């Protein structure tokens, strides 16, 4: 998810580290300025949710213990192309819920702050940061005053929740995390953004009416009498299988039904330096000749996206947020995920590995650049090897 204009996106791998280091450099100044105007920026750090609860008179309970997942390695074409990050990426850490008296959530980047004015680093860490003072919350010394909320306010708002993948797989499952922490009681309302159509539709599908929501889009800063914070399932794209099972159970009418529809190709459109398929006309020609439907999830309701992915026996797509809908795919579905040359990211491989019977194949090429990482991958466009695509399609048809 890159917010830069298309022409500037190739600079993202260089601008992001500079932005992070600049934030850390100016943070002592902004915190000092904040103290003179109400002190709304955090002045300390609680590294873990347990630390946050202990230092602010709250409590923290574990909802899910550490999980070790054995998922092997992704395969595809060219054979032997290593993923840019380890496929398993280590164990999935414990997931907890913290009750924080007088706790706050500040800013569009969803910094959680205790009543003792500590940034809760474990669940506030922003993309590309490694130290608390690198958090973008420190860029604005004079945030708007918080909306004061009585009672128990649960937090679904998460970093990146304006993105479909992160809202579906990081924010919504926090409801399931709270349900698994039986020692923690229910909440009166949920703090969650509801400004985008897909956000409103998903919240309605989850049974959350307007009177149970404090809209984070309209109120970027809140302080609750008691802030109840379920941790996200993971702070990286580990995609543990329980999340897929939770979403399928809550959002599908027949989660175990077989795929009986047509195969689909998921287009990203053409914005430039955004994993666009440069030879998409040729790709579409290959796929439509094999009976594929072309869909653009950005133009579809959530319900239609769920239906399309649930009924498709084969899914072809470039790496992108629309593949969050894989959680709704039927067992036995085949996925071909397309990447820029030299790039294989294991995010959706991990998700696919948690769906029984799903076959996953990547399609990339040997690297043409020495600088290969997640930042370069997400701003690089793609030319698809049509012969390799045909071979993977033949394999999907026989699997």
């Amino acid at each position: 998810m890159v917010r830069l204009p298309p022409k500037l996106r190739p600079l993202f791998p260089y601008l992001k580290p500079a932005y992070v280091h600049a934030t850390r450099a100016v943070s002592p100044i902004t915190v000092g300025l904040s103290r003179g105007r109400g002190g709304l920026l955090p002045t300390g750090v609680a590294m873990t949710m347990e630390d946050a609860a202990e230092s602010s008179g709250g409590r923290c309970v574990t909802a899910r213990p550490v999980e070790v997942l054995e998922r092997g390695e992704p395969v595809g074409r060219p054979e032997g192309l290593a993923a840019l990050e380890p496929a398993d990426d280590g164990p999935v850490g414990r997931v907890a819920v913290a009750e924080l008296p007088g706790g706050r959530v500040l800013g569009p980047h969803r910094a959680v702050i205790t009543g003792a004015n500590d940034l809760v680093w474990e669940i506030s860490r922003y993309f590309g940061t490694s130290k608390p003072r690198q958090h973008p919350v420190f860029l604005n010394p004079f945030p708007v005053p918080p909306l004061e909320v009585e009672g128990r306010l649960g937090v679904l708002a998460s970093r990146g929740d304006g993105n479909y993948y992160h809202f579906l797989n990081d924010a919504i499952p926090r409801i399931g995390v709270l349900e698994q922490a039986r020692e923690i009681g229910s909440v009166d309302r949920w703090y969650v953004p509801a400004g985008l159509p897909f956000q409103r539709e998903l919240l309605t599908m989850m049974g959350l009416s307007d009177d149970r929501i404090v809209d984070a889009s309209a109120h970027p800063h809140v302080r609750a009498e008691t802030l109840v914070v379920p941790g996200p399932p993971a702070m990286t794209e580990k995609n543990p299988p329980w999340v897929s099972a939770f979403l399928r159970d809550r959002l599908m009418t027949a989660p175990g039904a077989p795929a009986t529809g047509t195969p689909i190709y998921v287009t990203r459109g053409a914005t430039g330096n955004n994993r666009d398929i440069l030879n998409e006309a040729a790709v579409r020609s290959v796929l439509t000749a094999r009976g594929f439907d072309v869909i653009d999830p950005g133009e579809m309701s959530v319900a239609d996206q769920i239906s399309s992915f649930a009924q498709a026996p084969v899914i072809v797509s470039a790496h992108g947020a629309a593949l969050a809908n894989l959680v709704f795919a039927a067992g036995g579905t085949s996925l071909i995920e397309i990447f820029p040359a030299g790039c294989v990211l294991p995010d959706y491989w991990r998700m696919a590995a948690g769906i029984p019977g799903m076959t996953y194949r990547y399609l990339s090429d040997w690297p043409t650049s020495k600088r290969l990482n997640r930042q370069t991958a997400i701003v690089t466009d793609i030319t698809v090897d049509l012969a390799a695509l045909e071979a993977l399609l033949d394999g999907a048809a026989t699997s």
Side-chain angles (χ1 to χ4, degrees), residues 139-201:
L139 289 175
N140 179 11
F142 309 125
V144 297
L147 173 72
E148 303 288 347
V149 180
E150 295 181 353
R152 295 168 58 80
L153 182 65
V155 178
L156 300 184
S158 306
R159 60 178 192 170
D161 55 21
N163 172 278
Y164 184 77
Y165 167 86
H166 290 291
F167 191 81
L168 181 64
N169 283 276
D170 294 344
I172 294 296
R174 297 173 89 163
I175 297 172
V177 172
L178 180 60
E179 291 174 354
Q180 295 173 75
R182 300 188 183 278
E183 301 95 322
I184 301 288
S186 61
V187 299
D188 301 311
R189 288 188 286 175
W190 289 102
Y191 181 63
V192 60
L196 298 174
F198 74 79
Q199 294 170 338
R200 293 193 297 272
E201 186 176 355

Side-chain angles (χ1 to χ4, degrees), residues 49 96-100 105 112 123 153-155 174 177 227-231:
M49 296 172 75
V97 179
E99 287 183 328
L100 304 176
V105 183
V112 177
I123 51 174
L153 182 65
V155 178
R174 297 173 89 163
V177 172
L227 195 70
V228 181
V229 191

Side-chain angles (χ1 to χ4, degrees), residues 22-228:
T23 302
R24 186 183 182 190
V26 302
S27 63
I29 299 171
T30 59
V31 170
L33 291 171
S34 174
R35 285 195 180 104
R37 290 268 297 272
L40 293 177
L41 289 188
T43 52
V45 177
M47 296 302 292
T48 69
M49 296 172 75
E50 287 85 357
D51 292 341
E54 182 177 357
S55 64
S56 64
R59 65 170 173 163
C60 181
V61 302
T62 296
R64 295 187 62 85
V66 174
E67 296 180 73
V68 177
L69 303 174
E70 306 248 346
R71 298 190 276 204
E73 295 289 334
V75 297
R77 288 183 175 243
E79 295 181 7
L81 181 63
L84 297 182
E85 300 167 359
D88 277 343
D89 198 26
V92 179
R94 69 92 184 88
V95 184
V97 179
E99 287 183 328
L100 304 176
R104 294 186 285 141
V105 183
L106 172 57
H109 307 296
R110 316 307 184 199
V112 177
I113 303 168
T114 70
N117 214 30
D118 292 331
L119 176 70
V120 187
W121 178 239
E122 176 189 345
I123 51 174
S124 299
R125 181 168 52 87
Y126 199 65
F127 305 108
T129 63
S130 60
K131 295 178 173 59
R133 285 296 180 94
Q134 295 172 342
H135 195 285
V137 73
F138 291 106
L139 289 175
N140 179 11
F142 309 125
V144 297
L147 173 72
E148 303 288 347
V149 180
E150 295 181 353
R152 295 168 58 80
L153 182 65
V155 178
L156 300 184
S158 306
R159 60 178 192 170
D161 55 21
N163 172 278
Y164 184 77
Y165 167 86
H166 290 291
F167 191 81
L168 181 64
N169 283 276
D170 294 344
I172 294 296
R174 297 173 89 163
I175 297 172
V177 172
L178 180 60
E179 291 174 354
Q180 295 173 75
R182 300 188 183 278
E183 301 95 322
I184 301 288
S186 61
V187 299
D188 301 311
R189 288 188 286 175
W190 289 102
Y191 181 63
V192 60
L196 298 174
F198 74 79
Q199 294 170 338
R200 293 193 297 272
E201 186 176 355
L202 279 166
L203 292 170
T204 298
M205 295 172 75
M206 290 296 298
L208 295 185
S209 56
D210 289 347
D211 62 343
R212 293 209 61 209
I213 290 171
V214 175
D215 185 358
S217 302
H219 304 287
H221 189 188
V222 294
R223 175 162 44 214
E225 185 176 351
T226 300
L227 195 70
V228 181

Side-chain angles (χ1 to χ4, degrees), residues 2 70 80 130 222 277 281 317 325 349 357 359 361 374 391 397:
V2 179
E70 306 248 346
S130 60
V222 294
I277 304 294
S317 175
N325 289 303
W349 149 248
T359 300
R361 295 291 183 268
R374 181 176 288 271

